[in-house]
Amino acid sequence: MSRNTTTFDAPPASPIAIAPSSIRRVLRHPAATAESLESIALLIGAAVFVIGGLVAWFMFLGRNLPIAGQGSLGEFVGFGSAIATLIAFLLGRLALRTRSAAGFADSVLPGLDAPGARIHWFDLTAIALAHAFIALLGWIGLADLLEQSFQGAVVFTIPGAVLAGVGMAVTAYAVFLSAAHLTPMLLSFVLALFLVVGALASMLSSSDPLWWQKNLSALGMTNDISALAFNLTLIIAGVIVTTIARYATAAVPTTTRAELRGRTIVRVGMILLGIFLACVGIFPVDQFFLVHNTVATGMTIAFAVLVIGLRWFIPSMPKVFILLGYVYVGVIVMLAIFFATGYYNLTAVELVAAVLIFSWIIVFLRNTGAMHGPSASDAAATPIPEAQTSAA
């Protein structure tokens, strides 16, 4: 005896329409959602475009502008973008304060909140200045490149004002979102970009074209703008490294006193790296020879101690990363031998060592972040037991 069964298809679910936030709500709660942050960033960019374009039109009125150089379009965009960067960064951090005050959840914006690590005013000051220097030197460098591409070309008043407004608006938009979404990984990217831009700007603007025949610190010995750029780059980068040190070690899980002590040693060692780096810029080699060489040597020693002792300080650190650190130290020792035998000059050794040390810090940050519990993608990839998937 058979039994007929009738099945009914469920009606298709209608899509849920999400009403866009009004401008008033966006202004009241600028960091409530990712959409509101994007809207505020666009509004800030638009305001900077209007104000910057009007100021540029007034400054450029009645003259044609060179692309690069003194009194050029590139110089105006560089300094204007640096000012817009500081304002946009401040607004981005204030937007997060309004988010916390309104009681919104922090799941959408993880930011720099981490147990055992607290952001300080001097950290934010250094990060804001790093953004400003990147904008300043980046736009000036781009203008120099365009000057070489369009030799003899000039920019008229109105197009120059529009280009200046666009450049400053794009910078303010990007910096606001960077400040609002600032995470340890983004901070490490800002550090790397800042070091590259600052070093290149100092090299290109040095009044001594043969500085590389001495050492890397020779960039900070001259009395021109290149020495100021080089020393400020090292000082600000040193403060950022101390910030990264706290967040990089805060994610390391500890269950015993020995693990907690080892994590503290690593944190102190990385903070010493940042302090020594800042002191290299504070004490130029031509004025403070002994102090400069002492802190530069101390930075190398602190890095070697961290790398060699990492397997005991943080036993849970991935073995591949520990081996990578050994390779880095081995390369630095080999370069030192090359310098001692006269095969390499000191500048080459310092450049390669700096690249290795800062790349190690960035990779260390990624590895410690991966140690902080399983990610959502790992959980999604975990197979479901077959007993749970079979039909009753």
Side-chain angles (χ1 to χ4, degrees):
M1 182 175 179
S2 62
R3 182 175 60 183
N4 295 329
T5 58
T6 304
T7 59
F8 297 94
D9 295 333
S14 59
I16 299 175
I18 301 177
S21 301
S22 64
I23 295 180
R24 171 182 286 185
R25 177 175 174 79
V26 167
L27 293 176
R28 288 180 58 189
H29 305 293
T33 62
E35 175 198 0
S36 60
L37 272 178
E38 287 287 341
S39 299
I40 288 295
L42 288 173
L43 291 174
I44 291 175
V48 170
F49 172 76
V50 174
I51 297 174
L54 290 175
V55 173
W57 176 79
F58 178 78
M59 296 290 294
F60 301 162
L61 193 61
R63 62 190 183 97
N64 298 328
L65 302 167
I67 298 176
Q70 187 174 4
S72 65
L73 174 64
E75 183 183 60
F76 181 88
V77 175
F79 283 99
S81 295
I83 296 173
T85 292
L86 296 176
I87 297 174
F89 189 89
L90 176 62
L91 293 177
R93 300 309 299 178
L94 290 177
L96 295 185
R97 285 184 175 271
T98 62
R99 176 185 177 84
S100 301
F104 290 104
D106 292 333
S107 58
V108 179
L109 299 173
L112 289 175
D113 294 330
R118 180 173 175 268
I119 194 76
H120 300 282
W121 66 267
F122 51 85
D123 297 319
L124 292 177
T125 301
I127 298 170
L129 289 176
H131 280 79
F133 269 83
I134 291 173
L136 171 64
L137 301 177
W139 282 116
I140 291 179
L142 179 60
D144 289 335
L145 178 62
L146 292 176
E147 176 74 17
Q148 298 298 322
S149 302
F150 300 93
Q151 295 186 13
V154 295
V155 184
F156 299 147
T157 299
I158 295 180
V162 172
L163 289 174
V166 170
M168 290 185 287
V170 170
T171 303
Y173 170 83
V175 170
F176 175 85
L177 292 178
S178 175
H181 293 282
L182 196 60
T183 61
M185 277 309 305
L186 180 57
L187 185 58
S188 65
F189 173 76
V190 171
L191 171 64
L193 183 59
F194 172 61
L195 285 171
V196 171
V197 171
L200 288 178
S202 181
M203 294 175 189
L204 293 174
S205 60
S206 177
S207 58
D208 182 8
L210 300 179
W211 64 267
W212 56 272
Q213 295 182 354
K214 304 172 186 175
N215 51 60
L216 191 61
S217 298
L219 289 172
M221 296 191 315
T222 60
N223 295 322
D224 52 17
I225 192 65
S226 66
L228 179 62
F230 180 78
N231 292 327
L232 281 179
T233 298
L234 295 182
I235 295 171
I236 295 173
V239 178
I240 296 177
V241 168
T242 62
T243 305
I244 291 178
R246 298 197 300 273
Y247 286 98
T249 53
V252 176
T254 57
T255 56
T256 64
R257 286 183 175 271
E259 291 178 347
L260 180 60
R261 182 170 58 252
R263 187 182 71 173
T264 302
I265 292 174
V266 173
R267 176 178 295 183
V268 171
M270 294 187 67
I271 290 176
L272 283 177
L273 281 177
I275 293 175
F276 287 152
L277 178 63
C279 289
V280 171
I282 294 173
F283 303 104
V285 66
D286 58 332
Q287 302 177 26
F288 306 92
F289 179 81
L290 182 60
V291 177
H292 180 93
N293 289 340
T294 300
V295 294
T297 305
M299 185 170 62
T300 306
I301 294 175
F303 173 72
V305 171
L306 281 176
V307 171
I308 296 173
L310 190 61
R311 61 179 301 179
W312 294 282
F313 298 149
I314 306 179
S316 57
M317 184 64 65
K319 303 304 179 185
V320 175
F321 177 73
I322 293 177
L323 291 176
L324 177 67
Y326 293 162
V327 172
Y328 277 17
V329 172
V331 171
I332 293 175
V333 172
M334 182 184 64
L335 292 175
I337 295 175
F338 285 166
F339 167 69
T341 57
Y343 185 72
Y344 270 7
N345 70 350
L346 185 56
T347 303
V349 176
E350 290 176 330
L351 279 175
V352 176
V355 171
L356 293 178
I357 291 174
F358 288 109
S359 63
W360 184 88
I361 292 174
I362 294 173
V363 178
F364 176 81
L365 182 59
R366 292 189 63 88
N367 278 268
T368 54
M371 293 168 58
H372 192 60
S375 61
S377 58
D378 295 335
T382 304
I384 301 175
E386 185 177 354
Q388 297 182 9
T389 59
S390 60

